[in-house]
Each structure stands twice: as structure tokens, then as C-alpha cells.
Amino acid sequence: MDLQNTIYLINNEICTKTPCLKPNTLIVYDVIRIIDKKPLFFYLHFDNLTKALNKFFNFGIEISSLKQQIKKLIELTNTTKGNVKIEIFSKNETIQTVLHFVPHYYPTPDQYDKGVTLNYMKAERKTPQLKTWQTNIRNNANEIKSKTNSFEVLLLNDENQITEGSRSNILFIQNNTIISPPSNLLLQGVTRKVLLNIISENDKLNYKESKVYYKHIKKFEAAFLTGTSLNILPVAKINDWNFNANNTIIKQLISSFKIEVEYDINSFKYD
């Protein structure tokens, strides 16, 4: 039996299915990658969750409690690696916390080497800086990915600016400068935050935020995605426009990110 798909922790109690929720229930969530039975970048994920919970529910979660729930789920499922989803919502005026493993896809070595293909759709998150579940965006993106055989779908706002991916952040490279859409327009993912820290500590790397209009993407030399399952993933093509997936800066960032991952996993402790 696949224990990853059959065990849920609901308020730290073992269950075999999630609670039934009314349509449009507000769900604050995050997904944490597990490596060697430890949550990667746990404290950054915890910070994101705390901000969202304070905003929507005026409610917090104890850091030690969340650590132990993750540890318990990992032990119950006998899991070494995977993705844990944390969902927090209100049901019958009671806060519910649900933890469970979710299916994941990690890019192949070939995709890291050659890059991936992206498409786009018109969509905006209601609260771009806070992670809440929006089923319509995810479903529409999945449909476009299936129809176009794309790896990811970029979101365009009403002004046709690229803001982010349906489940990732995107950055571009032009003249040795790393360019991101404005932070206030996107969900600032944990992998992106780690990346920005890497950039800030390297005097040879330049970074800026700028509006990125879809019609202007041809001016960029390279592009890459960041995300929990992706880490840093080169982009080969957006719709019909090609990018350099072997860009030197991207390769440098990938190497630096691997060092950050190793350090974080080795230093994390449940106690």
C-alpha cells in the first residue's frame, strides 16, 4: 500500500481522508520538499504560512508543533523524500490543520540540461503575495499544459505583463542582469527568496525588478523558473520564442543553490 497517498494528519490526528469542504473555502497552504526525511528551507516556509494565517485568520501555529507534525507524517509513511502539503482553513468556526504528501514531479537531468517549454494564459491571483488555493487557475493551467505539451504556464495580468508561473516564479536575463517581475505582483516563493539571497551575496551578479510585458520577451537572452519541486530550472522556449538554456549565469545559480540545499538539510533539527 502507498502510505503517502492514504495517510493524513488532521490537527495531528491520523486520518485516511481529508475533511469535506464547502466550495470556495479559503485555504491557506504551502508545499515543503522533503529530502533525507527533513523539510527543506523549513523556516522560510513557516514564515510564509505565518504571514498568511495572520492576514486571513488572525491565527498562528507553533513552530515546534509544525515540525513535529511533519516528522510524524514522515515516520508514519516511511518516507525519505517527497512533497508535504500543509493546508489550514476554518471549518465550523474551528481552525483545521491538514498535512499530507502530494504527488510531485522533479525535473529530469535532461530538462535541467536542455530547458523546458512554457506557454501562457491571462490570470491573476487574488492575493499574489499570500499563498491561498485558487482552483480555477490551477485547473486552467493544467488544461493548457496538456493541450500544448508545455511544462509550465505563465500568468499574464490585464496589462499583459508576465507575473509568475501557475506554480513557479520566473526570472529573465539580459546583459548579465537578472530581471524579475515586480515583487508586489507575484507570490514570492521560498526558492526565489533563497535565490535572491545568493544574488545579493555575489558582487558579480546584478539584479533588478521591472515590468515584463509579454510582447517584449524577445529582448531577453535567457529565462529560468524557480519552485519547490523545480529548484532552478532553465527555460528553452516560451510559446514560439527560444532562449539559451545553457546560459552561464543560470548554471552558476544552479551550482550555488545546490550548496544552499545541502547546508540547509544538514543543519536542520527537529528538536
Side-chain angles (χ1 to χ4, degrees), residues 119-171:
N119 215 293
Y120 69 93
M121 71 179 191
K122 296 292 289 289
E124 293 183 68
R125 298 186 193 277
K126 296 177 182 177
T127 53
Q129 297 186 52
L130 298 171
K131 203 163 189 176
T132 58
W133 188 253
Q134 290 184 237
T135 305
N136 59 327
I137 290 180
R138 183 60 59 88
N139 289 345
N140 291 343
N142 287 342
E143 184 177 351
I144 292 173
K145 286 165 60 178
S146 177
K147 287 182 178 179
T148 62
N149 195 29
S150 300
F151 181 86
E152 169 66 305
V153 175
L154 300 177
L155 308 185
L156 273 60
N157 63 19
D158 287 339
E159 298 180 17
N160 284 327
Q161 296 176 34
I162 296 173
T163 57
E164 57 190 324
S166 68
R167 60 183 76 192
S168 64
N169 289 125
I170 185 164
L171 298 96

XYZ file of all heavy atoms in Angstrom, residues 119-171:
434
model
N 4.093 27.999 -21.831
C 3.031 28.700 -22.530
C 2.503 29.779 -21.595
O 3.122 30.058 -20.569
C 1.933 27.734 -22.981
C 1.322 28.144 -24.310
O 0.667 29.178 -24.388
N 1.536 27.344 -25.353
N 1.353 30.362 -21.907
C 0.849 31.446 -21.067
C -0.676 31.476 -21.068
O -1.338 30.884 -21.927
C 1.388 32.799 -21.532
C 0.841 33.240 -22.872
C -0.287 34.061 -22.967
C 1.447 32.837 -24.062
C -0.787 34.453 -24.191
C 0.959 33.221 -25.298
C -0.158 34.045 -25.352
O -0.657 34.420 -26.575
N -1.248 32.183 -20.094
C -2.683 32.424 -20.052
C -2.949 33.714 -19.282
O -2.095 34.184 -18.511
C -3.419 31.250 -19.386
C -3.211 31.123 -17.901
S -4.150 29.727 -17.212
C -3.986 30.039 -15.439
N -4.105 34.306 -19.494
C -4.497 35.507 -18.763
C -5.072 35.083 -17.411
O -6.088 34.392 -17.351
C -5.541 36.314 -19.544
C -5.035 36.871 -20.851
C -3.973 37.953 -20.628
C -4.520 39.232 -20.062
N -5.335 40.005 -21.012
N -4.428 35.490 -16.332
C -4.907 35.155 -14.986
C -4.117 35.947 -13.959
O -2.944 36.254 -14.167
C -4.774 33.660 -14.711
N -4.777 36.281 -12.846
C -4.118 36.960 -11.734
C -4.573 36.337 -10.428
O -5.741 35.973 -10.271
C -4.476 38.453 -11.716
C -3.943 39.252 -12.876
C -4.274 40.724 -12.749
O -3.727 41.384 -11.843
O -5.109 41.222 -13.550
N -3.650 36.223 -9.486
C -4.007 35.748 -8.151
C -4.722 36.865 -7.393
O -4.390 38.032 -7.530
C -2.756 35.320 -7.383
C -1.999 34.179 -8.017
C -0.868 33.726 -7.101
N 0.062 32.844 -7.791
C -0.118 31.541 -7.947
N -1.198 30.970 -7.447
N 0.776 30.810 -8.580
N -5.702 36.469 -6.577
C -6.424 37.457 -5.775
C -5.511 38.101 -4.741
O -5.600 39.293 -4.475
C -7.625 36.788 -5.089
C -8.674 36.261 -6.055
C -9.794 35.545 -5.301
C -10.814 34.979 -6.261
N -11.887 34.213 -5.555
N -4.673 37.295 -4.144
C -3.723 37.786 -3.134
C -2.345 37.269 -3.514
O -1.866 36.285 -2.958
C -4.103 37.293 -1.723
O -4.255 35.862 -1.753
C -5.403 37.915 -1.265
N -1.673 37.919 -4.470
C -0.447 37.362 -5.030
C 0.672 37.140 -4.024
O 1.517 36.268 -4.219
C -0.043 38.397 -6.093
C -0.763 39.639 -5.730
C -2.036 39.196 -5.096
N 0.708 37.919 -2.943
C 1.812 37.772 -2.006
C 1.528 36.777 -0.881
O 2.388 36.532 -0.037
C 2.175 39.139 -1.415
C 2.676 40.110 -2.487
C 3.169 41.401 -1.908
O 3.995 41.411 -1.003
N 2.642 42.507 -2.401
N 0.323 36.210 -0.878
C -0.053 35.227 0.140
C -0.568 33.976 -0.554
O -1.356 34.062 -1.509
C -1.119 35.791 1.081
C -0.705 37.023 1.893
C -1.906 37.608 2.614
C 0.400 36.673 2.886
N -0.163 32.822 -0.066
C -0.449 31.564 -0.752
C -1.805 31.016 -0.320
O -1.947 30.464 0.767
C 0.642 30.543 -0.463
C 0.745 29.438 -1.514
C 2.073 28.726 -1.410
C 2.307 27.784 -2.570
N 3.641 27.157 -2.511
N -2.809 31.193 -1.166
C -4.140 30.617 -0.943
C -4.515 29.818 -2.180
O -4.077 30.114 -3.296
C -5.206 31.702 -0.692
O -5.247 32.602 -1.817
C -4.878 32.487 0.573
N -5.327 28.792 -1.970
C -5.664 27.870 -3.055
C -6.686 28.494 -3.994
O -7.750 28.930 -3.582
C -6.219 26.584 -2.470
C -6.413 25.505 -3.491
C -7.602 25.063 -3.998
C -5.400 24.730 -4.131
N -7.378 24.060 -4.919
C -6.032 23.835 -5.018
C -4.009 24.714 -4.030
C -5.330 22.934 -5.799
C -3.308 23.810 -4.817
C -3.976 22.939 -5.677
N -6.354 28.578 -5.291
C -7.274 29.073 -6.308
C -7.413 27.991 -7.379
O -6.594 27.877 -8.287
C -6.770 30.385 -6.909
C -6.839 31.549 -5.935
C -6.432 32.861 -6.560
O -5.533 33.518 -6.084
N -7.105 33.261 -7.616
N -8.480 27.216 -7.253
C -8.675 26.045 -8.099
C -8.757 26.403 -9.568
O -8.242 25.677 -10.429
C -9.961 25.305 -7.675
O -9.889 24.996 -6.283
C -10.129 24.018 -8.462
N -9.387 27.536 -9.892
C -9.585 27.882 -11.304
C -8.259 28.097 -12.026
O -8.086 27.644 -13.164
C -10.472 29.130 -11.429
C -9.872 30.345 -10.726
O -9.201 30.212 -9.695
N -10.123 31.526 -11.261
N -7.314 28.760 -11.385
C -6.013 28.990 -12.028
C -5.288 27.674 -12.250
O -4.753 27.405 -13.330
C -5.151 29.949 -11.183
C -5.741 31.365 -11.238
C -3.700 29.955 -11.672
C -4.974 32.389 -10.435
N -5.271 26.840 -11.233
C -4.564 25.562 -11.359
C -5.204 24.691 -12.440
O -4.490 24.095 -13.272
C -4.576 24.840 -10.010
C -3.808 23.523 -9.987
C -2.335 23.695 -10.318
N -1.647 24.585 -9.406
C -1.079 24.199 -8.277
N -1.117 22.936 -7.911
N -0.439 25.067 -7.524
N -6.533 24.614 -12.473
C -7.220 23.772 -13.459
C -7.013 24.284 -14.880
O -6.753 23.506 -15.814
C -8.713 23.693 -13.147
C -9.003 22.876 -11.900
O -8.136 22.141 -11.414
N -10.200 22.993 -11.374
N -7.121 25.607 -15.068
C -6.925 26.183 -16.401
C -5.487 25.993 -16.879
O -5.253 25.696 -18.058
C -7.282 27.669 -16.392
C -8.766 27.917 -16.201
O -9.584 27.013 -16.390
N -9.134 29.127 -15.817
N -4.544 26.154 -15.976
C -3.137 25.961 -16.345
C -2.874 24.513 -16.735
O -2.171 24.238 -17.717
C -2.236 26.380 -15.187
N -3.431 23.575 -15.970
C -3.242 22.159 -16.289
C -3.819 21.813 -17.662
O -3.245 21.005 -18.406
C -3.896 21.287 -15.217
C -3.108 21.286 -13.918
O -1.932 21.640 -13.887
N -3.758 20.904 -12.833
N -4.944 22.423 -18.002
C -5.557 22.165 -19.307
C -4.670 22.674 -20.442
O -4.468 21.987 -21.453
C -6.934 22.837 -19.375
C -7.693 22.553 -20.652
C -9.087 23.166 -20.667
O -9.530 23.678 -19.615
O -9.738 23.122 -21.738
N -4.110 23.872 -20.279
C -3.228 24.435 -21.303
C -1.952 23.606 -21.419
O -1.465 23.321 -22.525
C -2.893 25.903 -20.974
C -4.144 26.769 -21.127
C -1.779 26.425 -21.888
C -3.961 28.201 -20.664
N -1.398 23.184 -20.300
C -0.186 22.360 -20.326
C -0.436 21.075 -21.099
O 0.411 20.631 -21.890
C 0.249 22.039 -18.895
C 0.881 23.210 -18.175
C 0.971 22.982 -16.680
C 1.795 21.786 -16.314
N 1.906 21.620 -14.845
N -1.605 20.475 -20.880
C -1.933 19.223 -21.549
C -2.119 19.427 -23.057
O -1.621 18.636 -23.867
C -3.208 18.633 -20.934
O -3.586 17.454 -21.592
N -2.810 20.504 -23.422
C -3.107 20.754 -24.832
C -1.861 21.149 -25.625
O -1.734 20.827 -26.805
C -4.167 21.855 -24.960
C -5.570 21.416 -24.575
C -6.563 22.552 -24.788
C -7.989 22.125 -24.469
N -8.959 23.239 -24.655
N -0.941 21.872 -24.979
C 0.225 22.405 -25.697
C 1.509 21.642 -25.402
O 2.567 22.001 -25.921
C 0.430 23.894 -25.331
O 0.701 23.998 -23.925
C -0.800 24.708 -25.673
N 1.413 20.616 -24.555
C 2.582 19.839 -24.154
C 3.654 20.748 -23.544
O 4.856 20.611 -23.822
C 3.162 19.079 -25.349
C 4.130 17.984 -24.915
O 4.006 17.414 -23.833
N 5.118 17.700 -25.751
N 3.200 21.697 -22.725
C 4.103 22.640 -22.066
C 4.407 22.165 -20.653
O 3.592 21.508 -20.009
C 3.470 24.041 -22.005
O 3.199 24.516 -23.299
N 5.573 22.545 -20.156
C 5.963 22.176 -18.803
C 5.259 23.047 -17.772
O 4.880 22.578 -16.704
C 7.479 22.303 -18.651
C 7.985 21.921 -17.290
C 8.283 20.601 -16.999
C 8.143 22.870 -16.293
C 8.733 20.234 -15.737
C 8.604 22.517 -15.033
C 8.897 21.196 -14.753
N 5.098 24.337 -18.074
C 4.513 25.283 -17.142
C 3.778 26.368 -17.925
O 4.018 26.561 -19.129
C 5.605 25.889 -16.258
C 5.221 27.078 -15.392
C 4.212 26.770 -14.294
O 3.141 26.248 -14.655
O 4.492 27.079 -13.116
N 2.865 27.066 -17.251
C 2.082 28.122 -17.876
C 2.317 29.425 -17.109
O 2.171 29.470 -15.886
C 0.577 27.777 -17.864
C -0.249 28.940 -18.419
C 0.320 26.513 -18.680
N 2.702 30.472 -17.832
C 2.914 31.773 -17.226
C 1.592 32.532 -17.103
O 0.708 32.380 -17.946
C 3.896 32.599 -18.064
C 5.286 31.997 -18.249
C 6.135 32.887 -19.157
C 5.974 31.809 -16.904
N 1.480 33.340 -16.061
C 0.281 34.140 -15.832
C 0.507 35.563 -16.333
O 1.514 36.199 -15.997
C -0.077 34.167 -14.348
C -0.194 32.814 -13.641
C -0.682 33.009 -12.204
C -1.106 31.862 -14.389
N -0.433 36.065 -17.129
C -0.396 37.435 -17.629
C -1.541 38.216 -17.000
O -2.688 37.739 -16.966
C -0.550 37.472 -19.154
C 0.706 37.345 -20.019
C 1.416 36.016 -19.764
C 0.357 37.480 -21.490
N -1.252 39.425 -16.502
C -2.319 40.243 -15.925
C -3.047 41.020 -17.012
O -2.799 40.828 -18.211
C -1.775 41.159 -14.823
C -0.755 42.171 -15.351
O -0.681 42.448 -16.554
N 0.024 42.733 -14.445
N -3.920 41.928 -16.606
C -4.740 42.667 -17.580
C -3.913 43.560 -18.495
O -4.384 43.979 -19.556
C -5.788 43.510 -16.841
C -6.904 42.661 -16.248
O -7.087 41.523 -16.725
O -7.581 43.127 -15.314
N -2.690 43.876 -18.088
C -1.818 44.708 -18.911
C -0.837 43.864 -19.733
O 0.104 44.388 -20.322
C -1.037 45.682 -18.023
C -1.935 46.654 -17.266
C -1.141 47.603 -16.395
O 0.094 47.736 -16.605
O -1.732 48.221 -15.502
N -1.099 42.554 -19.761
C -0.244 41.612 -20.485
C 1.185 41.583 -19.956
O 2.146 41.329 -20.698
C -0.236 41.906 -21.991
C -1.514 41.438 -22.668
O -2.108 40.435 -22.268
N -1.957 42.175 -23.673
N 1.304 41.827 -18.660
C 2.598 41.669 -18.004
C 2.714 40.240 -17.475
O 1.771 39.698 -16.901
C 2.730 42.631 -16.823
C 2.725 44.092 -17.171
C 2.751 44.945 -15.920
O 3.365 44.586 -14.918
N 2.071 46.078 -15.975
N 3.873 39.640 -17.660
C 4.151 38.340 -17.054
C 4.427 38.558 -15.569
O 5.260 39.394 -15.201
C 5.371 37.672 -17.722
C 5.079 37.372 -19.195
C 5.760 36.397 -16.989
C 6.284 36.867 -19.968
N 3.705 37.833 -14.725
C 3.909 37.990 -13.286
C 4.631 36.788 -12.673
O 5.569 36.948 -11.906
C 2.564 38.200 -12.571
O 1.688 37.092 -12.863
C 1.906 39.496 -13.031
N 4.185 35.594 -13.025
C 4.750 34.364 -12.442
C 4.215 33.163 -13.208
O 3.436 33.307 -14.143
C 4.363 34.260 -10.963
C 2.853 34.285 -10.735
C 2.482 34.430 -9.272
O 3.193 33.875 -8.422
O 1.456 35.078 -8.980
N 4.624 31.975 -12.788
C 4.059 30.759 -13.341
C 2.898 30.289 -12.486
O 2.678 30.780 -11.375
N 2.151 29.323 -12.982
C 0.991 28.829 -12.237
C 1.409 28.164 -10.936
O 0.649 28.121 -9.972
C 0.183 27.848 -13.088
O 0.917 26.649 -13.322
N 2.643 27.637 -10.895
C 3.168 27.048 -9.667
C 4.673 27.278 -9.557
O 5.409 26.424 -9.054
C 2.830 25.554 -9.599
C 3.379 24.722 -10.728
C 2.936 23.283 -10.598
N 1.555 23.110 -11.000
C 0.829 22.015 -10.781
N 1.358 20.994 -10.142
N -0.418 21.926 -11.184
N 5.120 28.429 -10.022
C 6.547 28.744 -10.001
C 6.733 30.246 -10.138
O 5.801 30.985 -10.449
C 7.274 28.028 -11.147
O 6.796 28.515 -12.400
N 7.955 30.700 -9.913
C 8.359 32.067 -10.241
C 9.232 32.020 -11.482
O 9.873 31.007 -11.764
C 9.151 32.703 -9.095
C 8.293 33.014 -7.880
O 8.583 32.579 -6.768
N 7.229 33.767 -8.076
N 9.249 33.130 -12.220
C 10.092 33.203 -13.413
C 10.976 34.433 -13.339
O 10.565 35.485 -12.839
C 9.263 33.221 -14.712
C 10.193 33.179 -15.929
C 8.328 34.435 -14.763
C 9.516 32.815 -17.231
N 12.209 34.285 -13.822
C 13.157 35.382 -13.918
C 13.824 35.343 -15.284
O 13.893 34.280 -15.916
C 14.206 35.315 -12.808
C 13.655 35.439 -11.380
C 13.458 34.052 -10.765
C 14.572 36.275 -10.498
